[in-house]
Amino acid sequence: MKYPKFHCFVNPYSLNATCPPTLGYRVHEAQKEMGRRILNEALRAMVNAERRGKASVELKPISTVMSSFLKIMKDRGYIKNFQVYDPHRVGRITVELQGRIKDCRALTYRQDIKSRDLEGYRLRMLPTHQWGYVVITTPDGVLDHEEAIKRNVGGQVLGYFH
């Protein structure tokens, strides 16, 4: 079976692609995987810096999803602050660490989840029942599991931290 050739214009550091109208809103899985891999590498760099006792870490390359993930971590008190430098090009993010991150990962595969299944997923994925957050991307934006349950929305799991 032959498939027609389509050319998509893809930023390899983001989860989105601009494709012709015939493809609709679909994004190739390879580009999504690449964006998630970049997010995972950045989160693992933060965990490694925490374990070494560093006060800050520089993350390169960056994406808007990474900025959203870090904003949730800041709101929940896991990092002090972060700054984005030159976001329109390759850019970099400097993160001030606080010493609270035990583990932080992004899922490199696609995991769809409904709002009613979020609490069970959290209990399965996180090692403790008292703390930790699952971050998901929803139609309302990138949210942690508590906010998604309040808003009654589901989406795709990006990762987790505790």
Side-chain angles (χ1 to χ4, degrees), residues 123-136:
L123 293 173
R124 261 195 338 268
M125 289 301 290
L126 297 176
T128 63
H129 298 290
Q130 288 91 6
W131 60 82
Y133 295 93
V134 175
V135 180
I136 63 172

Side-chain angles (χ1 to χ4, degrees), residues 13-31:
Y13 303 115
S14 74
L15 294 178
N16 299 322
T18 308
C19 297
T22 54
L23 291 179
Y25 69 92
R26 286 187 180 190
V27 179
H28 296 290
E29 290 300 315
Q31 281 84 20

Side-chain angles (χ1 to χ4, degrees), residues 72 76 107 111-129 131-160:
I72 291 173
R76 297 301 179 178
L107 300 183
Q111 176 71 47
D112 295 330
I113 193 161
K114 296 177 182 173
S115 64
R116 66 174 179 258
D117 301 332
L118 277 170
E119 191 61 31
Y121 184 83
R122 182 188 72 85
L123 293 173
R124 261 195 338 268
M125 289 301 290
L126 297 176
T128 63
H129 298 290
W131 60 82
Y133 295 93
V134 175
V135 180
I136 63 172
T137 179
T138 68
D140 293 349
V142 178
L143 305 172
D144 61 27
H145 70 276
E146 289 179 354
E147 190 67 29
I149 290 171
K150 282 182 195 171
R151 295 185 187 188
N152 195 26
V153 292
Q156 291 183 7
V157 178
L158 281 178
Y160 62 89

